Short mmCIF file of all heavy atoms in Angstrom, two decimals:
data_model
loop_
_atom_site.label_atom_id
_atom_site.label_comp_id
_atom_site.label_asym_id
_atom_site.label_seq_id
_atom_site.Cartn_x
_atom_site.Cartn_y
_atom_site.Cartn_z
N MET B 507 102.87 90.69 89.71
CA MET B 507 101.63 90.78 90.47
C MET B 507 101.89 90.91 91.97
O MET B 507 102.93 90.50 92.47
CB MET B 507 100.75 89.53 90.21
CG MET B 507 99.94 89.59 88.92
SD MET B 507 98.85 90.98 88.87
CE MET B 507 97.62 90.49 90.12
N ALA B 508 100.89 91.43 92.63
CA ALA B 508 101.02 91.65 94.06
C ALA B 508 100.94 90.32 94.84
O ALA B 508 100.27 89.40 94.37
CB ALA B 508 99.96 92.61 94.54
N VAL B 509 101.63 90.31 95.92
CA VAL B 509 101.63 89.04 96.73
C VAL B 509 100.43 89.02 97.67
O VAL B 509 99.80 88.01 97.83
CB VAL B 509 102.92 89.00 97.54
CG1 VAL B 509 102.94 87.74 98.42
CG2 VAL B 509 104.16 89.00 96.63
N TYR B 510 100.09 90.12 98.25
CA TYR B 510 99.01 90.21 99.23
C TYR B 510 97.82 90.97 98.62
O TYR B 510 97.95 92.18 98.40
CB TYR B 510 99.46 90.91 100.49
CG TYR B 510 100.67 90.30 101.13
CD1 TYR B 510 101.92 90.85 101.02
CD2 TYR B 510 100.54 89.08 101.86
CE1 TYR B 510 103.02 90.26 101.61
CE2 TYR B 510 101.64 88.49 102.44
CZ TYR B 510 102.88 89.08 102.29
OH TYR B 510 103.97 88.49 102.88
N PRO B 511 96.69 90.33 98.42
CA PRO B 511 95.55 91.02 97.86
C PRO B 511 94.87 91.96 98.86
O PRO B 511 95.04 91.80 100.07
CB PRO B 511 94.62 89.92 97.35
CG PRO B 511 95.01 88.74 98.19
CD PRO B 511 96.46 88.88 98.53
N VAL B 512 94.09 92.87 98.35
CA VAL B 512 93.31 93.73 99.23
C VAL B 512 92.41 92.91 100.09
O VAL B 512 91.80 91.94 99.62
CB VAL B 512 92.50 94.72 98.39
CG1 VAL B 512 91.49 95.49 99.23
CG2 VAL B 512 93.43 95.70 97.63
N GLY B 513 92.30 93.27 101.36
CA GLY B 513 91.39 92.61 102.28
C GLY B 513 92.07 91.57 103.20
O GLY B 513 91.44 91.10 104.16
N VAL B 514 93.30 91.20 102.90
CA VAL B 514 93.95 90.25 103.81
C VAL B 514 94.56 91.01 104.97
O VAL B 514 94.83 92.21 104.92
CB VAL B 514 95.06 89.46 103.10
CG1 VAL B 514 94.47 88.67 101.94
CG2 VAL B 514 96.18 90.34 102.62
N PHE B 515 94.83 90.28 106.05
CA PHE B 515 95.34 90.85 107.25
C PHE B 515 96.80 90.45 107.39
O PHE B 515 97.19 89.28 107.17
CB PHE B 515 94.57 90.37 108.52
CG PHE B 515 93.16 90.89 108.51
CD1 PHE B 515 92.15 90.08 108.00
CD2 PHE B 515 92.84 92.12 108.99
CE1 PHE B 515 90.83 90.58 108.03
CE2 PHE B 515 91.60 92.61 108.99
CZ PHE B 515 90.55 91.85 108.53
N VAL B 516 97.64 91.44 107.68
CA VAL B 516 99.14 91.22 107.77
C VAL B 516 99.68 91.84 108.99
O VAL B 516 99.03 92.71 109.65
CB VAL B 516 99.81 91.77 106.52
CG1 VAL B 516 99.36 91.07 105.26
CG2 VAL B 516 99.57 93.27 106.37
N THR B 517 100.90 91.47 109.34
CA THR B 517 101.67 92.15 110.37
C THR B 517 102.87 92.80 109.73
O THR B 517 103.29 92.41 108.66
CB THR B 517 102.08 91.21 111.50
OG1 THR B 517 102.82 90.09 110.90
CG2 THR B 517 100.85 90.62 112.23
N LEU B 518 103.40 93.79 110.39
CA LEU B 518 104.57 94.53 109.86
C LEU B 518 105.75 94.35 110.79
O LEU B 518 105.56 94.22 111.99
CB LEU B 518 104.25 96.02 109.75
CG LEU B 518 102.97 96.41 108.97
CD1 LEU B 518 102.74 97.89 108.98
CD2 LEU B 518 103.02 95.83 107.55
N THR B 519 106.90 94.30 110.24
CA THR B 519 108.12 94.01 110.99
C THR B 519 108.41 95.06 112.05
O THR B 519 108.98 94.79 113.04
CB THR B 519 109.33 93.89 110.05
OG1 THR B 519 109.50 95.05 109.32
CG2 THR B 519 109.17 92.67 109.14
N PHE B 520 108.00 96.33 111.80
CA PHE B 520 108.40 97.41 112.70
C PHE B 520 107.29 97.97 113.53
O PHE B 520 107.49 98.86 114.31
CB PHE B 520 109.01 98.52 111.84
CG PHE B 520 108.07 99.04 110.79
CD1 PHE B 520 107.15 100.08 111.04
CD2 PHE B 520 108.11 98.50 109.49
CE1 PHE B 520 106.31 100.50 110.06
CE2 PHE B 520 107.23 98.95 108.52
CZ PHE B 520 106.34 99.93 108.79
N THR B 521 106.05 97.52 113.35
CA THR B 521 104.89 98.08 114.06
C THR B 521 104.05 96.95 114.65
O THR B 521 103.64 96.07 113.88
CB THR B 521 104.04 98.94 113.09
OG1 THR B 521 104.88 99.85 112.41
CG2 THR B 521 102.97 99.67 113.88
N PRO B 522 103.81 96.98 115.96
CA PRO B 522 102.92 95.98 116.50
C PRO B 522 101.52 96.19 116.06
O PRO B 522 101.11 97.28 115.66
CB PRO B 522 103.04 96.22 118.02
CG PRO B 522 103.46 97.62 118.17
CD PRO B 522 104.29 97.93 116.95
N GLY B 523 100.74 95.13 116.06
CA GLY B 523 99.31 95.22 115.70
C GLY B 523 99.05 94.54 114.37
O GLY B 523 99.88 94.10 113.64
N LEU B 524 97.73 94.45 114.10
CA LEU B 524 97.26 93.79 112.92
C LEU B 524 96.85 94.79 111.93
O LEU B 524 96.22 95.82 112.27
CB LEU B 524 96.07 92.91 113.29
CG LEU B 524 95.53 91.96 112.21
CD1 LEU B 524 96.58 90.96 111.77
CD2 LEU B 524 94.31 91.26 112.68
N PHE B 525 97.12 94.56 110.67
CA PHE B 525 96.81 95.54 109.61
C PHE B 525 96.04 94.84 108.49
O PHE B 525 96.21 93.68 108.26
CB PHE B 525 98.09 96.11 109.00
CG PHE B 525 98.85 96.99 109.98
CD1 PHE B 525 99.67 96.41 110.91
CD2 PHE B 525 98.75 98.36 109.90
CE1 PHE B 525 100.39 97.20 111.82
CE2 PHE B 525 99.45 99.17 110.82
CZ PHE B 525 100.25 98.57 111.76
N GLU B 526 95.13 95.62 107.89
CA GLU B 526 94.43 95.13 106.71
C GLU B 526 94.90 95.85 105.49
O GLU B 526 95.04 97.06 105.46
CB GLU B 526 92.93 95.31 106.86
CG GLU B 526 92.12 94.75 105.70
CD GLU B 526 90.62 94.90 105.89
OE1 GLU B 526 90.18 95.36 106.91
OE2 GLU B 526 89.88 94.52 104.94
N VAL B 527 95.18 95.08 104.44
CA VAL B 527 95.62 95.71 103.13
C VAL B 527 94.40 96.38 102.50
O VAL B 527 93.37 95.72 102.25
CB VAL B 527 96.21 94.63 102.23
CG1 VAL B 527 96.61 95.28 100.88
CG2 VAL B 527 97.42 93.98 102.89
N ILE B 528 94.50 97.67 102.20
CA ILE B 528 93.39 98.39 101.61
C ILE B 528 93.69 98.83 100.20
O ILE B 528 92.78 99.21 99.46
CB ILE B 528 92.94 99.55 102.48
CG1 ILE B 528 94.01 100.56 102.74
CG2 ILE B 528 92.29 99.06 103.76
CD1 ILE B 528 93.61 101.80 103.50
N ALA B 529 94.98 98.87 99.84
CA ALA B 529 95.32 99.18 98.48
C ALA B 529 96.68 98.55 98.14
O ALA B 529 97.51 98.44 98.98
CB ALA B 529 95.38 100.69 98.30
N VAL B 530 96.80 98.14 96.87
CA VAL B 530 98.06 97.57 96.37
C VAL B 530 98.58 98.44 95.25
O VAL B 530 97.83 98.64 94.27
CB VAL B 530 97.83 96.12 95.89
CG1 VAL B 530 99.15 95.50 95.42
CG2 VAL B 530 97.24 95.25 96.97
N LEU B 531 99.76 98.99 95.45
CA LEU B 531 100.33 99.87 94.43
C LEU B 531 101.39 99.08 93.67
O LEU B 531 102.60 99.09 94.00
CB LEU B 531 100.91 101.09 95.11
CG LEU B 531 99.96 101.77 96.09
CD1 LEU B 531 100.66 102.86 96.89
CD2 LEU B 531 98.77 102.38 95.35
N ASP B 532 100.96 98.33 92.67
CA ASP B 532 101.86 97.39 92.04
C ASP B 532 102.51 98.00 90.76
O ASP B 532 103.11 97.33 89.96
CB ASP B 532 101.20 96.07 91.75
CG ASP B 532 99.93 96.24 90.92
OD1 ASP B 532 99.65 97.34 90.52
OD2 ASP B 532 99.29 95.18 90.67
N ASP B 533 102.37 99.34 90.65
CA ASP B 533 103.05 99.97 89.53
C ASP B 533 104.39 100.49 89.93
O ASP B 533 105.09 101.15 89.16
CB ASP B 533 102.21 101.14 89.00
CG ASP B 533 101.82 102.12 90.11
OD1 ASP B 533 101.79 101.73 91.32
OD2 ASP B 533 101.54 103.29 89.80
N VAL B 534 104.84 100.23 91.15
CA VAL B 534 106.19 100.60 91.65
C VAL B 534 106.90 99.33 92.05
O VAL B 534 106.34 98.30 92.32
CB VAL B 534 106.08 101.57 92.81
CG1 VAL B 534 105.54 102.91 92.34
CG2 VAL B 534 105.23 101.03 93.92
N THR B 535 108.24 99.40 92.08
CA THR B 535 109.02 98.31 92.51
C THR B 535 109.94 98.76 93.65
O THR B 535 110.67 99.75 93.50
CB THR B 535 109.91 97.78 91.40
OG1 THR B 535 109.03 97.46 90.27
CG2 THR B 535 110.72 96.55 91.75
N PRO B 536 110.01 98.07 94.78
CA PRO B 536 109.16 96.91 95.10
C PRO B 536 107.69 97.36 95.26
O PRO B 536 107.41 98.52 95.51
CB PRO B 536 109.71 96.41 96.39
CG PRO B 536 110.38 97.58 97.04
CD PRO B 536 110.89 98.42 95.95
N VAL B 537 106.82 96.38 95.21
CA VAL B 537 105.38 96.62 95.38
C VAL B 537 105.13 97.34 96.70
O VAL B 537 105.72 96.98 97.72
CB VAL B 537 104.56 95.30 95.30
CG1 VAL B 537 103.12 95.50 95.68
CG2 VAL B 537 104.70 94.75 93.92
N GLN B 538 104.26 98.30 96.68
CA GLN B 538 103.90 99.02 97.97
C GLN B 538 102.45 98.72 98.28
O GLN B 538 101.61 98.47 97.42
CB GLN B 538 104.12 100.51 97.81
CG GLN B 538 105.58 100.91 97.75
CD GLN B 538 105.80 102.38 97.77
OE1 GLN B 538 104.90 103.15 97.44
NE2 GLN B 538 106.99 102.80 98.07
N TYR B 539 102.18 98.73 99.54
CA TYR B 539 100.85 98.46 100.06
C TYR B 539 100.37 99.57 100.95
O TYR B 539 101.16 100.14 101.77
CB TYR B 539 100.81 97.15 100.90
CG TYR B 539 101.21 95.93 100.14
CD1 TYR B 539 102.53 95.57 100.08
CD2 TYR B 539 100.28 95.18 99.53
CE1 TYR B 539 102.91 94.43 99.36
CE2 TYR B 539 100.61 94.04 98.78
CZ TYR B 539 101.96 93.69 98.70
OH TYR B 539 102.31 92.60 98.02
N GLN B 540 99.12 99.95 100.89
CA GLN B 540 98.51 100.86 101.77
C GLN B 540 97.74 99.97 102.77
O GLN B 540 96.89 99.17 102.36
CB GLN B 540 97.62 101.86 101.11
CG GLN B 540 97.30 103.08 101.89
CD GLN B 540 96.68 104.18 101.05
OE1 GLN B 540 96.42 103.98 99.88
NE2 GLN B 540 96.43 105.31 101.66
N VAL B 541 98.07 100.08 104.05
CA VAL B 541 97.48 99.21 105.07
C VAL B 541 96.88 100.08 106.14
O VAL B 541 97.31 101.19 106.42
CB VAL B 541 98.47 98.22 105.62
CG1 VAL B 541 99.00 97.27 104.58
CG2 VAL B 541 99.66 98.93 106.36
N ILE B 542 95.86 99.53 106.77
CA ILE B 542 95.16 100.23 107.91
C ILE B 542 95.27 99.39 109.15
O ILE B 542 95.07 98.20 109.11
CB ILE B 542 93.68 100.58 107.57
CG1 ILE B 542 93.07 101.44 108.67
CG2 ILE B 542 92.90 99.31 107.30
CD1 ILE B 542 91.73 102.00 108.29
N ASN B 543 95.66 100.07 110.26
CA ASN B 543 95.70 99.37 111.54
C ASN B 543 94.28 99.15 111.98
O ASN B 543 93.52 100.05 112.12
CB ASN B 543 96.48 100.27 112.53
CG ASN B 543 96.69 99.55 113.87
OD1 ASN B 543 95.79 99.04 114.47
ND2 ASN B 543 97.92 99.57 114.32
N VAL B 544 93.93 97.86 112.24
CA VAL B 544 92.56 97.54 112.51
C VAL B 544 92.15 98.03 113.93
O VAL B 544 90.94 98.17 114.16
CB VAL B 544 92.29 96.02 112.39
CG1 VAL B 544 92.51 95.57 110.96
CG2 VAL B 544 93.15 95.24 113.36
N GLU B 545 93.07 98.35 114.75
CA GLU B 545 92.73 98.82 116.14
C GLU B 545 92.67 100.34 116.17
O GLU B 545 91.74 100.93 116.78
CB GLU B 545 93.76 98.37 117.13
CG GLU B 545 93.72 96.86 117.38
CD GLU B 545 94.77 96.37 118.38
OE1 GLU B 545 95.51 97.25 118.87
OE2 GLU B 545 94.78 95.18 118.64
N THR B 546 93.57 101.05 115.50
CA THR B 546 93.62 102.51 115.61
C THR B 546 93.03 103.20 114.41
O THR B 546 92.72 104.37 114.48
CB THR B 546 95.10 102.99 115.75
OG1 THR B 546 95.82 102.69 114.55
CG2 THR B 546 95.77 102.28 116.96
N GLY B 547 92.95 102.56 113.30
CA GLY B 547 92.44 103.19 112.05
C GLY B 547 93.52 103.97 111.34
O GLY B 547 93.21 104.58 110.32
N ASN B 548 94.74 103.93 111.85
CA ASN B 548 95.81 104.66 111.15
C ASN B 548 96.16 103.99 109.84
O ASN B 548 96.30 102.75 109.80
CB ASN B 548 97.07 104.74 112.00
CG ASN B 548 96.92 105.63 113.22
OD1 ASN B 548 96.06 106.51 113.23
ND2 ASN B 548 97.71 105.40 114.27
N VAL B 549 96.33 104.77 108.78
CA VAL B 549 96.68 104.26 107.47
C VAL B 549 98.11 104.59 107.17
O VAL B 549 98.54 105.76 107.34
CB VAL B 549 95.78 104.84 106.38
CG1 VAL B 549 96.26 104.39 104.98
CG2 VAL B 549 94.31 104.43 106.63
N ILE B 550 98.89 103.62 106.78
CA ILE B 550 100.28 103.84 106.36
C ILE B 550 100.58 103.12 105.12
O ILE B 550 99.85 102.21 104.68
CB ILE B 550 101.30 103.44 107.53
CG1 ILE B 550 101.17 101.90 107.79
CG2 ILE B 550 101.08 104.23 108.78
CD1 ILE B 550 102.27 101.42 108.73
N ARG B 551 101.66 103.50 104.48
CA ARG B 551 102.10 102.84 103.25
C ARG B 551 103.45 102.18 103.51
O ARG B 551 104.36 102.76 104.09
CB ARG B 551 102.28 103.89 102.14
CG ARG B 551 102.65 103.30 100.83
CD ARG B 551 102.77 104.38 99.76
NE ARG B 551 101.47 104.96 99.47
CZ ARG B 551 101.27 105.86 98.57
NH1 ARG B 551 102.30 106.38 97.86
NH2 ARG B 551 100.07 106.37 98.28
N VAL B 552 103.57 100.91 103.11
CA VAL B 552 104.78 100.17 103.31
C VAL B 552 105.11 99.39 102.04
O VAL B 552 104.22 99.10 101.24
CB VAL B 552 104.66 99.17 104.45
CG1 VAL B 552 104.55 99.85 105.81
CG2 VAL B 552 103.51 98.21 104.28
N ASN B 553 106.40 99.06 101.88
CA ASN B 553 106.67 98.18 100.75
C ASN B 553 106.70 96.73 101.20
O ASN B 553 106.63 96.43 102.42
CB ASN B 553 107.94 98.58 100.00
CG ASN B 553 109.24 98.21 100.67
OD1 ASN B 553 109.34 97.15 101.26
ND2 ASN B 553 110.24 99.09 100.56
N GLU B 554 106.76 95.85 100.26
CA GLU B 554 106.55 94.41 100.59
C GLU B 554 107.57 93.82 101.53
O GLU B 554 107.30 92.86 102.21
CB GLU B 554 106.51 93.57 99.30
CG GLU B 554 107.74 93.74 98.45
CD GLU B 554 107.62 93.11 97.08
OE1 GLU B 554 106.77 92.23 96.92
OE2 GLU B 554 108.33 93.54 96.17
N HIS B 555 108.77 94.47 101.67
CA HIS B 555 109.79 93.90 102.50
C HIS B 555 109.51 94.07 103.99
O HIS B 555 110.11 93.40 104.82
CB HIS B 555 111.13 94.55 102.20
CG HIS B 555 111.56 94.35 100.78
ND1 HIS B 555 111.66 93.08 100.24
CD2 HIS B 555 111.86 95.20 99.81
CE1 HIS B 555 112.08 93.20 98.94
NE2 HIS B 555 112.18 94.49 98.70
N PHE B 556 108.52 94.92 104.35
CA PHE B 556 108.19 95.15 105.76
C PHE B 556 107.03 94.35 106.20
O PHE B 556 106.63 94.41 107.36
CB PHE B 556 107.94 96.62 105.99
CG PHE B 556 109.08 97.52 105.75
CD1 PHE B 556 109.19 98.35 104.65
CD2 PHE B 556 110.21 97.48 106.61
CE1 PHE B 556 110.34 99.13 104.41
CE2 PHE B 556 111.33 98.26 106.39
CZ PHE B 556 111.36 99.08 105.33
N ILE B 557 106.38 93.58 105.28
CA ILE B 557 105.22 92.78 105.69
C ILE B 557 105.71 91.42 106.11
O ILE B 557 106.44 90.75 105.44
CB ILE B 557 104.22 92.69 104.55
CG1 ILE B 557 103.66 94.07 104.25
CG2 ILE B 557 103.12 91.71 104.85
CD1 ILE B 557 102.58 94.10 103.17
N ARG B 558 105.31 91.03 107.31
CA ARG B 558 105.81 89.78 107.93
C ARG B 558 104.72 88.73 107.92
O ARG B 558 104.12 88.44 108.95
CB ARG B 558 106.24 90.14 109.37
CG ARG B 558 106.92 88.92 110.07
CD ARG B 558 107.30 89.30 111.51
NE ARG B 558 106.11 89.70 112.26
CZ ARG B 558 106.11 90.61 113.22
NH1 ARG B 558 107.19 91.28 113.49
NH2 ARG B 558 105.00 90.92 113.87
N GLY B 559 104.48 88.11 106.78
CA GLY B 559 103.57 87.03 106.77
C GLY B 559 102.15 87.43 106.63
O GLY B 559 101.83 88.66 106.64
N ILE B 560 101.30 86.45 106.56
CA ILE B 560 99.90 86.75 106.21
C ILE B 560 99.01 86.02 107.21
O ILE B 560 99.29 84.93 107.63
CB ILE B 560 99.65 86.26 104.76
CG1 ILE B 560 98.35 86.81 104.23
CG2 ILE B 560 99.75 84.79 104.62
CD1 ILE B 560 98.20 86.62 102.73
N VAL B 561 97.93 86.71 107.59
CA VAL B 561 96.92 86.08 108.48
C VAL B 561 95.67 85.97 107.66
O VAL B 561 95.16 86.97 107.16
CB VAL B 561 96.75 86.97 109.75
CG1 VAL B 561 95.71 86.35 110.63
CG2 VAL B 561 98.05 87.14 110.48
N LYS B 562 95.15 84.78 107.62
CA LYS B 562 93.94 84.54 106.80
C LYS B 562 92.77 85.35 107.37
O LYS B 562 92.59 85.37 108.57
CB LYS B 562 93.57 83.07 106.76
CG LYS B 562 94.65 82.19 106.16
CD LYS B 562 94.80 82.46 104.69
CE LYS B 562 95.80 81.52 104.03
NZ LYS B 562 96.08 81.89 102.67
N PRO B 563 92.02 86.00 106.50
CA PRO B 563 90.86 86.76 106.97
C PRO B 563 89.72 85.84 107.46
O PRO B 563 89.79 84.64 107.27
CB PRO B 563 90.43 87.50 105.72
CG PRO B 563 90.93 86.73 104.57
CD PRO B 563 92.20 86.06 105.05
#
């Protein structure tokens, strides 16, 4: 199962800013997440190793 559910806010190890998880792709290993930068609206896909902790919504 995915570690971070849709709707939680996370930070990424390589990109400054706050991101919201908008999709969880748990049919691949490692789990991948589609996240959106809450400031710019840019959507990127990352795997779980690049997510640095969780910020409560």
